[in-house]
Amino acid sequence: MKMSIVARKMMMGPTFTERTKQKLDKLDKFFQADAECTVTLTKLPRDVLQVEATVRSGGMLFRAETTDEDANCAIDTLIDLLVRQIRKNKTRLERRLREGAFAAENGAEEEEAYRVVRRKSFPVRPMDVEEAILQMNLLGHQFFTFLNAETGGINVVYCRRDGDYGLLEPYSE
């Protein structure tokens, strides 16, 4: 697996980098050699670290995020979150991940069936991004699906944790 480690607003030592790569090697059994992993460390106020990991493999995207005061504890928690995410969905993922990745595991968590508890249909009309954000705010929702008048595609605007807005523009590969 190809790995890259990015530090924002801080410096990291070579021992931390080596330890992180060693911990990430635990994920090699799940992914093909062409998988890419990016770990981002960001220093937050009050000496708290936010650690994010994104693994891209075969069109699939795995992401985990955690915060901690100790960088090593944060990395341990992050790896555990990624492994738990993979194991929880193991039967769905077995066809896409490395052959035999789950063969040696006995007590892995079994997946629960996804339950769709509500289905909603709604008409979409062309609008620009600003109008979609206004509509989302008027409805009091956290996201809003709309037909983008500029691109002609279905897009989603959403409210981010920091109060800003995001736009999802899907495309096919």
Side-chain angles (χ1 to χ4, degrees), residues 11-151:
M11 296 292 293
M12 62 182 170
T15 56
F16 176 78
T17 304
E18 192 59 39
R19 185 175 186 280
T20 301
K21 287 185 179 187
Q22 184 181 26
K23 289 287 187 177
L24 287 171
D25 284 343
K26 289 182 180 180
L27 300 176
D28 279 343
K29 67 180 177 182
F30 297 114
F31 300 108
Q32 302 290 339
D34 65 344
E36 297 175 12
C37 179
T38 303
V39 177
T40 306
L41 289 93
T42 307
K43 187 167 185 160
L44 301 176
R46 298 187 187 127
D47 291 330
V48 175
L49 291 177
Q50 177 183 22
V51 184
E52 303 172 39
T54 305
V55 180
R56 296 180 198 312
S57 176
M60 296 288 296
L61 185 73
F62 300 88
R63 185 179 181 286
E65 177 182 321
T66 187
T67 56
D68 201 309
E69 292 177 2
D70 181 34
N72 292 328
C73 289
I75 291 296
D76 290 343
T77 304
L78 191 73
I79 300 301
D80 290 344
L81 287 171
L82 284 170
V83 170
R84 193 175 313 133
Q85 191 180 85
I86 293 166
R87 284 184 180 150
K88 181 177 179 187
N89 295 294
K90 76 175 191 175
T91 54
R92 288 185 182 93
L93 296 173
E94 275 182 318
R95 289 170 289 196
R96 295 184 177 174
L97 297 179
R98 178 178 285 189
E99 289 285 325
F102 298 102
E105 297 185 18
N106 296 337
E109 301 171 24
E110 290 298 317
E111 77 177 53
E112 297 176 15
Y114 295 127
R115 283 186 352 162
V116 176
V117 295
R118 185 172 179 215
R119 198 174 290 262
K120 186 175 182 179
S121 298
F122 56 93
V124 291
R125 64 178 185 84
M127 61 178 72
D128 63 16
V129 175
E130 286 187 15
E131 186 180 353
I133 291 172
L134 176 64
Q135 187 68 45
M136 176 184 67
N137 289 336
L138 289 172
L139 292 170
H141 291 175
Q142 296 294 310
F143 66 93
F144 186 76
T145 305
F146 68 103
L147 182 63
N148 192 324
E150 295 173 18
T151 64

